[in-house]
Amino acid sequence: MTEHRPLDPPASTTIATIANDVGVSVATVSKVLNGRGDVAPGTRARVEESLDRHRYQRRHRRSTSGAGRVDLVFHEFDTGWAMEILRGVEAVTSAAGLGLSVAQLDGAHRPPPRWLDALLADRPLGVVFVLSHLAEVQQQHLRRHGIPFVVVDTDSATSASVPTVGSNNWNGGLLAARHLLDLGHRRIAIISGPPDVLCSRARAAGFQSAHEEAGVPLDRELTRFGSFSAGAGHNHGLQLLRLADRPTAIFAGSDIQAMGVLRAARQCGLRVPEDLSVIGYDNLPVSAWTDPPLTTINQPLRDMAGIATQMLLELARGHEPATSRIDLVTELVVRESTAPPAQPH
């Protein structure tokens, strides 16, 4: 590890220096430094450019209110998926003797300005974001105030400047399809997550690659995108299973989604796995307790969260991580919800 020391500004660089350079008031520069939202975007950009050019680094006395606490920010907190992330973060913060504060953004993927204002006022040791991202100007504010941040994200398109821990989604889709193809299935449906989320497309791409590898045509009618919820699994499952030439297997984008598929199968009078094979994604603890126990792709959520938190603590100590992006391996977990397709009578 190498110790990271920001360049100190020249002794003559003050807020007044920046204000004179840009042609604004000292109060305006102070507002930009403190992340206030009542500054015109063009003015803010000019002030930020001058701060960067003068290598201005504000020296802070860390507030004691949040100094012993890590903030964990979810885009949404409503499933066992989020609980696995929480357990992974808490294991590291507890061992380090740190407090943990949890917030969620009601499904948004970017915190609002008022959240940033409150964070800068409270000054935690650092922030772990889950499936949520900061705008560039928000990143600059946190860095300027010495608050490190790390992202836990199953996408792979996060900026290289943002430390991120994720998993190999393409490989997860590949493993799921290979398993079903090896069992003899040839009409396999996929219900992935939202189409505008990269991990959804990555899993679908791996799923398609397995079909190409096996020389099995992929029926586009059997490819669906939706949310990762049980409701989406149920709705898409009913549509797929009511087709004249229904699939013999369904790969769901999450274990929760797969539970919706299991319910749809029961409503259609189909037995799992005798009439329909179902495979999920995530390997949540509940997946071993469905009826039947769910074959799934293990996404090591606790490990992802724990590694991200360790990375955050290193940044808080002034050390740069060895790499800004870590993707953990995904693995197939075979249980009782998959089997060879039933033979036609």
Side-chain angles (χ1 to χ4, degrees), residues 175-186 188 213-214 332 340-341:
L175 292 175
R178 274 183 180 171
H179 172 64
L180 296 170
L181 289 164
D182 288 346
L183 287 172
H185 293 277
R186 291 299 178 265
I188 306 171
E213 178 183 76
L332 175 70

Side-chain angles (χ1 to χ4, degrees), residues 18-244:
I18 304 300
N20 288 332
D21 181 50
V22 181
V24 297
S25 68
V26 169
T28 297
V29 177
S30 180
K31 287 179 180 181
V32 172
L33 284 168
N34 287 293
R36 294 273 298 277
D38 53 342
V39 179
T43 302
R44 183 185 301 279
R46 295 201 312 276
V47 171
E48 292 285 0
E49 188 277 331
S50 181
L51 289 166
D52 290 339
R53 181 157 39 82
H54 286 86
R55 297 179 302 164
Y56 184 91
Q57 185 76 28
R58 184 173 179 176
R59 291 183 175 88
H60 298 279
R61 293 179 180 176
R62 181 173 288 277
S63 164
T64 57
S65 59
R69 189 193 75 235
V70 168
D71 281 10
L72 174 60
V73 180
F74 288 91
H75 85 295
E76 196 169 31
F77 190 90
D78 63 351
T79 67
W81 191 97
M83 285 302 301
E84 289 299 290
I85 296 289
L86 176 59
R87 290 185 178 107
V89 173
E90 196 276 334
V92 175
T93 56
S94 178
L98 297 171
L100 179 62
S101 175
V102 180
Q104 61 99 22
L105 304 176
D106 293 322
H109 290 276
R110 179 167 294 166
R114 65 181 181 277
W115 173 89
L116 186 61
D117 291 343
L119 183 85
L120 293 175
D122 204 28
R123 292 186 51 76
L125 183 71
V127 187
V128 177
F129 292 99
V130 183
L131 289 180
S132 52
H133 305 273
L134 294 168
E136 184 61 35
V137 67
Q138 293 175 319
Q139 295 178 30
Q140 291 172 0
H141 288 324
L142 290 193
R143 291 189 181 109
R144 201 176 301 285
H145 285 77
I147 302 175
F149 56 93
V150 176
V151 173
V152 177
D153 200 335
T154 54
D155 284 359
S156 300
T158 311
S159 168
S161 66
V162 178
T164 306
V165 179
S167 64
N168 193 326
N169 290 284
W170 184 89
N171 186 62
L174 181 80
L175 292 175
R178 274 183 180 171
H179 172 64
L180 296 170
L181 289 164
D182 288 346
L183 287 172
H185 293 277
R186 291 299 178 265
R187 282 191 61 74
I188 306 171
I190 175 174
I191 308 171
S192 197
D196 60 342
V197 175
L198 187 62
C199 68
S200 303
R201 302 198 305 272
R203 293 171 194 175
F207 178 84
Q208 179 178 343
S209 292
H211 280 75
E212 293 170 353
E213 178 183 76
V216 176
L218 190 61
D219 187 342
R220 293 299 175 186
E221 188 181 26
L222 302 183
T223 299
R224 305 295 173 95
F225 290 91
S227 73
F228 288 117
S229 67
H234 179 250
N235 291 336
H236 284 294
L238 286 176
Q239 293 172 21
L240 290 164
L241 297 177
R242 287 170 176 168
L243 292 173

Side-chain angles (χ1 to χ4, degrees), residues 175-176 179 255 278-280 282-284 287-288 293-299 330-338:
L175 292 175
H179 172 64
D255 291 341
V278 178
I279 180 168
D282 290 328
N283 194 27
L284 299 180
S287 65
L294 190 64
T295 295
T296 187
I297 299 297
N298 181 53
Q299 180 174 215
T330 46
E331 300 175 305
L332 175 70
V333 179
V334 179
R335 295 196 179 102
E336 298 171 31
S337 65
T338 51

Side-chain angles (χ1 to χ4, degrees), residues 3-28:
E3 186 159 353
H4 174 66
R5 298 181 183 278
L7 289 171
D8 288 330
S12 60
T13 300
T14 65
I15 292 179
T17 303
I18 304 300
N20 288 332
D21 181 50
V22 181
V24 297
S25 68
V26 169
T28 297

Side-chain angles (χ1 to χ4, degrees), residues 267-315:
Q267 285 183 246
C268 293
L270 299 174
R271 299 166 301 163
V272 176
E274 292 85 356
D275 304 315
L276 176 73
S277 285
V278 178
I279 180 168
Y281 203 102
D282 290 328
N283 194 27
L284 299 180
V286 70
S287 65
W289 294 94
T290 57
D291 185 20
L294 190 64
T295 295
T296 187
I297 299 297
N298 181 53
Q299 180 174 215
L301 296 171
R302 288 197 198 187
D303 290 342
M304 288 161 56
I307 290 170
T309 309
Q310 292 284 11
M311 188 183 293
L312 181 74
L313 298 188
E314 285 298 304
L315 286 166

